[in-house]
């Protein structure tokens, strides 16, 4: 269930679409229904090239540590846009994180060697030096900032969705989840938020909610569609996409906005260059093109920051 999936690319490909070698996605459990499968088919995944025309910015490139030419990029493949998916050819990666990573690489004149890894495996592996940078819609939290450096490139966050026949209309307090089964991603801020606040139900004299964690999005939606879960907590943009492409679902509400960033080993010297590259993309319009492609313009930042404090609910 939590076994990392990895496959190293033999080629260095500085384009918006990356080939993923022989990596094949498998479901976390049997019984994924047609609606879930349909949502991940590549005809629903935008493939417009918004990266190949990006030019190198020598001022930004000079911020790289001397001699830096190639970096190992770890990519979490969620299988659901705007997160990273594999197209029907079984090897081409497409997603918002991928576009941003390769656009930044173009600005900095870098080559990226890509590896696929499970979401929960990437951050610990950065500290060991296995990867130079990771992408996977990693939300910037104060807890993560103690061990990881971030360079922000979008604003996303936490939200909820459920079946259309559910009586839930929104979740503004986690006590509303008491007695329910909540499906979410393993190793995510969603899991951490749910576990941290599990006591709320007991404090209110109610039955605790059950946290069900999965390593793949397809398994999360299968669990909900088949009635094994009552509600899903996931990324705002991912939930909106799923609801738009699967029958019988409804988006409830945003719960907690978070900045999202490239992840690095603590103390990295790569952060200033990546920050300058993101800001260059914002200035030249490429940034807006990427967000428009993935229908995430509501996640735009006005500037990139290095490990900013966690956004707090107002």
């Amino acid at each position: 269930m939590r076994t990392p999936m990895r496959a190293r690319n033999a080629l260095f490909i500085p384009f918006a679409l990356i080939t993923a070698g022989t990596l094949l996605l498998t479901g976390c459990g049997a019984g994924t229904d047609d609606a879930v499968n349909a949502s991940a088919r590549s005809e629903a995944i935008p493939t417009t090239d918004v990266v190949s025309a990006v030019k190198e910015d020598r001022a930004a490139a000079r911020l790289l540590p001397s001699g830096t030419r190639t970096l190992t990029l770890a990519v979490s493949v969620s299988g659901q846009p705007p997160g990273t998916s594999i197209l029907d050819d079984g090897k081409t990666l497409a997603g918002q994180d991928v576009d941003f990573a390769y656009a930044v690489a173009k600005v900095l004149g870098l080559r990226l060697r890509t590896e696929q890894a499970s979401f929960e495996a990437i951050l610990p592996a950065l500290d060991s030096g296995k990867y130079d940078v990771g992408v996977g819609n990693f939300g910037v939290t104060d807890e993560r900032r103690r061990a990881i450096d971030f360079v922000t490139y979008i604003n996303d966050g936490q939200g909820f969705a459920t079946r259309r026949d559910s009586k839930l209309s929104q979740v503004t307090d986690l006590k509303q989840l008491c007695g329910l089964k909540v499906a979410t991603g393993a190793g995510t801020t969603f899991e951490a938020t749910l576990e941290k606040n599990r006591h709320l139900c007991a404090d209110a004299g109610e039955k605790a909610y059950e946290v069900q964690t999965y390593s793949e999005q397809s398994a999360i939606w299968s669990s909900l569609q088949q009635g094994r879960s009552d509600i899903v907590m996931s990324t705002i943009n991912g939930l909106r996409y799923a609801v738009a492409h699967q029958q019988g679902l409804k988006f409830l509400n945003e719960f907690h906005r978070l900045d999202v960033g490239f992840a690095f080993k603590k103390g990295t010297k790569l952060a200033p260059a990546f920050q300058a590259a993101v800001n260059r993309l914002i200035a030249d319009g490429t940034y807006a093109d990427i967000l428009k492609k993935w229908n995430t313009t509501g996640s735009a930042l006005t500037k990139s920051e290095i490990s900013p404090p966690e956004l707090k609910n107002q």
Side-chain angles (χ1 to χ4, degrees), residues 44-98:
I45 301 172
T47 56
T48 305
D49 179 7
V50 291
V51 173
S52 62
V54 174
K55 304 298 183 183
E56 181 177 351
D57 183 321
R58 294 189 178 182
R62 282 196 292 269
L63 296 175
L64 288 168
S66 179
T68 304
R69 297 291 181 268
T70 301
L71 298 178
T72 301
L73 171 73
V75 180
S76 171
V77 179
S78 70
Q80 176 183 290
T84 304
S85 301
I86 298 180
L87 300 186
D88 284 346
D89 62 7
K91 61 182 181 180
T92 302
L93 298 183
Q96 181 171 256
D97 293 328
V98 167

Side-chain angles (χ1 to χ4, degrees), residues 1-3 28 76 118-122 138 144 183-192 211-217 220 233:
M1 188 83 138
R2 296 187 182 224
T3 302
C28 200
S76 171
S118 62
F119 179 93
E120 63 270 30
I122 293 177
F138 290 111
R144 283 177 173 170
T184 195
T188 62
T189 62
F190 321 115
E191 181 185 10
V211 182
Q212 302 173 326
T213 59
Y214 300 90
S215 293
E216 297 170 17
Q217 288 293 318
I220 291 175
M233 187 179 190

Side-chain angles (χ1 to χ4, degrees), residues 39 52 58 63 79 81 86 98 102 148 195 198 203-204 218 223 236 255-256 272 305 310:
S39 74
S52 62
R58 294 189 178 182
L63 296 175
I86 298 180
V98 167
Y102 274 76
I148 297 292
E195 293 294 349
R198 187 189 290 269
D203 294 347
S218 61
S223 177
I236 294 166
F255 183 72
H256 181 193
E305 296 183 271
E310 179 180 347

